[in-house]
Amino acid sequence: MASRIRIAPSILSADFARLGQEVEAVDRAGADLIHIDVMDGHFVPNLTIGPVVVRALRPHSKKPFDCHLMIAPADPYIAAFAEAGADIISIHPEAGPHPHRTLQLIRSLGKKAGYVLNPGTPIETIDPLFDMIDLLLIMTVNPGFGGQEFLGSQLEKIRAARVRIENSGREVMLEVDGGINPGTARQAIAAGADVLVAGTAVFHSGDYASAIASLRG
Ligand code: DX5
Ligand code: ZN
């Protein structure tokens, strides 16, 4: 069985002119993790946040910083994100030829390692690396932008990921990212997810606390 549901607001949909206060506000509103979308305009068609911003945000919350790297290559920047205050660093296997090496690097820096499956990336991709991860992230949109529609076609992959985690006997977080609202949250939880990323549903709501509460199912 999945454990307690955790909510990770994605600051991609926050007011960037007030990012520190936005992080404090979702922290107070019950966020379990702070999801930080790092994009390079190359691996994905959008440019967002680098390690200097992560460092600047670090004093604004004690909650774990969940850094989702959508950059290629990722390896040259892993140490900078670790030093800036990331707690979890997640990578896409398409971002470089040596994901095993990248996961090793993340763990060698004392951080939790996450692995992200794009909608077109099969679940089997994780099998040879399963022992190396602390978090498995299933994308339910194409990465790059907030506000896209949840891809129900990925529910099967969430279920297959849950089976792998249970069979492993290990504590691996199963995170879902993209198009999460109260309705799709319920579907993702039923499929086995236990960490839900939500950008639009939290930051475009009038009330962060009730938006977060309404995602827990
Ligand atoms: C998309 C990002 C997501 C995004 C989710 O590439 O990885 O974290 O911010 O936004 P919503 O919740 O609006 O789909
Ligand atoms: Zn993300």
Side-chain angles (χ1 to χ4, degrees):
M1 264 305 287
S3 45
R4 189 177 75 85
I5 302 305
R6 283 185 270 197
I7 307 299
S10 162
I11 62 170
L12 186 61
S13 297
D15 177 354
F16 271 50
R18 305 171 47 255
L19 217 40
Q21 292 103 297
E22 291 276 69
V23 167
E24 289 173 16
V26 287
D27 181 322
R28 273 197 308 275
D32 299 288
L33 307 166
I34 306 296
H35 187 81
I36 302 176
D37 286 306
V38 177
M39 305 183 185
D40 65 354
H42 163 73
F43 181 70
V44 291
N46 196 3
L47 268 174
T48 58
I49 289 169
V52 290
V53 178
V54 175
R55 184 185 302 282
L57 292 175
R58 193 60 278 188
H60 292 269
S61 175
K62 291 190 166 60
K63 303 277 168 73
F65 276 11
D66 173 29
C67 290
H68 174 190
L69 302 192
M70 288 160 274
I71 60 175
D75 291 21
Y77 303 100
I78 299 290
F81 282 100
E83 283 159 19
D87 297 286
I88 305 166
I89 300 177
S90 298
I91 55 136
H92 284 252
E94 299 86 355
H98 301 297
H100 183 279
R101 178 179 294 162
T102 313
L103 295 170
Q104 241 176 359
L105 173 61
I106 295 167
R107 283 187 157 182
S108 77
L109 297 166
K111 305 301 176 184
K112 289 193 162 67
Y115 198 81
V116 191
L117 299 178
N118 274 331
T121 306
I123 184 72
E124 289 76 16
T125 312
I126 189 55
D127 290 341
L129 303 174
F130 200 85
D131 288 350
M132 304 291 303
I133 62 167
D134 304 290
L135 177 146
L136 182 56
L137 169 51
I138 310 294
M139 291 305 300
T140 42
V141 296
N142 284 312
F145 300 95
Q148 303 180 78
E149 201 173 322
F150 182 84
L151 297 171
S153 59
Q154 301 305 302
L155 285 165
E156 191 55 49
K157 202 189 289 179
I158 300 170
R159 283 191 280 271
R162 171 53 58 197
V163 168
R164 281 163 167 79
I165 292 168
E166 296 307 313
N167 288 346
S168 77
R170 295 183 48 235
E171 278 199 23
V172 175
M173 292 173 266
L174 179 50
E175 184 172 51
V176 172
D177 186 1
I180 293 292
N181 57 41
T184 56
R186 254 187 295 280
Q187 296 175 45
I189 292 167
D194 56 12
V195 184
L196 306 179
V197 176
T200 310
V202 172
F203 285 102
H204 294 189
S205 74
D207 177 346
Y208 296 171
S210 55
I212 289 171
S214 71
L215 297 174
R216 291 191 198 276

